Amino acid sequence: MPKIVIVDDEVEILTPLEEMLLEEGFSVRAFSSPAKALAYLEAQAVDLVIFDIKMPELNGLDLLQKVRGVHPSIPAIFLSSKNEDADQLIGFSVGADDYVGKPFTKQLLIFRIKSVLRRYAPAEEVSQRPIVAGDLSIDRERHLVSWRDQAIPLTVTECMILISLAERPGSVKKRAQLMDACYEGNVYVSDRTIDSHVRNIRSKIRAVDQGAEPIKTVHGLGYKLAL
């Protein structure tokens, strides 16, 4: 039973959302206070967090960054009444795995939740042997990434993109192929969303090795892993 924490300061949205997820069989903790949610998450491991972005006490972007300080790879979905590309890119830039604009249907949100959880769970039919390419090592089963034996705290979505590139080092992957690697079916994300995830991966690798630039941009096409 996946454990989900939802945080939204609007109780009229939070309560029906909690009931909806409970009906779907999830274990749910709902908070209208981001501070209380943070205290809970600092002490508890969960499978997914769903944060509203606009909250007066502590916005969802800052809340996720604080939670990631304790759980670096925890999957996250943002909710927001704003549905502009720029707002979505801000969410993805801090490591969100998905973004759902309000108002949303029950079917859409459940689809997005299950999609993110499936990305986090290893696929049994795929070989789970670690990928080793140059200084890069990826444990696909546990979504653990290291560079020169130093851990890189990638999100699930970032890890799936890197796996897609690392499976065929040197081969160019179009943005659409990277979308397919980490987003399912009818979920649309813009090219800029993929670019944002790639920037995050590069930044995290440079944090442990300042001169490392394993992901190369192939202008007009996409990206490749060059080691």
Side-chain angles (χ1 to χ4, degrees):
M1 183 183 297
K3 298 177 181 178
I4 298 177
V5 165
I6 53 177
V7 186
D8 195 315
D9 63 310
E10 298 182 68
V11 178
E12 63 273 19
I13 293 176
L14 183 66
T15 300
L17 180 56
E18 178 183 16
E19 293 173 351
M20 180 178 72
L21 297 183
L22 288 171
E23 289 175 358
E24 287 293 318
F26 297 113
S27 173
V28 183
R29 287 295 301 268
F31 295 90
S32 59
S33 165
K36 291 181 179 179
L38 178 59
Y40 176 82
L41 288 166
E42 286 176 336
Q44 300 289 332
V46 301
D47 298 295
L48 174 71
V49 294
I50 302 174
F51 295 158
D52 184 40
I53 288 185
K54 290 192 67 178
M55 295 184 287
E57 181 184 348
L58 179 67
N59 70 53
L61 302 172
D62 292 337
L63 176 59
L64 180 59
Q65 289 182 310
K66 291 179 180 294
V67 172
R68 285 268 167 82
V70 182
H71 307 291
S73 300
I74 190 170
I77 295 175
F78 278 137
L79 303 177
S80 178
S81 55
K82 293 185 177 180
N83 204 21
E84 301 289 336
D85 279 352
D87 297 304
Q88 294 189 31
L89 288 174
I90 292 172
F92 286 124
S93 71
V94 299
D97 292 282
D98 212 337
Y99 185 111
V100 179
K102 298 176 183 177
F104 51 81
T105 65
K106 172 183 177 180
Q107 292 80 4
L108 174 63
L109 183 60
I110 295 300
F111 177 85
R112 296 291 184 87
I113 289 172
K114 290 182 177 179
S115 176
V116 170
L117 290 173
R118 276 194 294 269
R119 274 181 259 156
Y120 185 72
E124 294 181 0
E125 67 272 14
V126 176
S127 170
Q128 297 303 319
R129 288 181 300 173
I131 298 173
V132 178
D135 294 318
L136 178 69
S137 178
I138 306 173
D139 184 331
R140 288 187 281 196
E141 185 174 359
R142 295 184 293 166
H143 292 93
L144 298 178
V145 177
S146 63
W147 178 267
R148 294 186 177 178
D149 297 324
Q150 295 187 71
I152 309 294
L154 299 186
T155 69
V156 175
T157 303
E158 292 163 1
C159 186
M160 296 299 287
I161 289 174
L162 191 57
I163 287 172
S164 181
L165 292 169
E167 285 175 335
R168 297 188 64 187
S171 297
V172 178
K173 287 291 182 79
K174 296 180 180 179
R175 289 174 176 82
Q177 291 175 298
L178 296 176
M179 290 180 198
D180 290 341
C182 56
Y183 293 98
E184 294 191 6
N186 297 319
V187 177
Y188 170 77
V189 295
S190 70
D191 287 352
R192 288 191 295 168
T193 298
I194 296 299
D195 294 341
S196 181
H197 286 310
V198 170
R199 282 196 299 272
N200 289 346
I201 298 169
R202 285 169 166 164
S203 176
K204 291 177 180 180
I205 292 175
R206 284 197 297 268
V208 301
D209 185 354
Q210 190 173 4
E213 290 288 348
I215 301 177
K216 304 297 182 183
T217 301
V218 182
H219 294 288
L221 291 176
Y223 297 99
K224 68 178 181 179
L225 196 68
L227 298 170

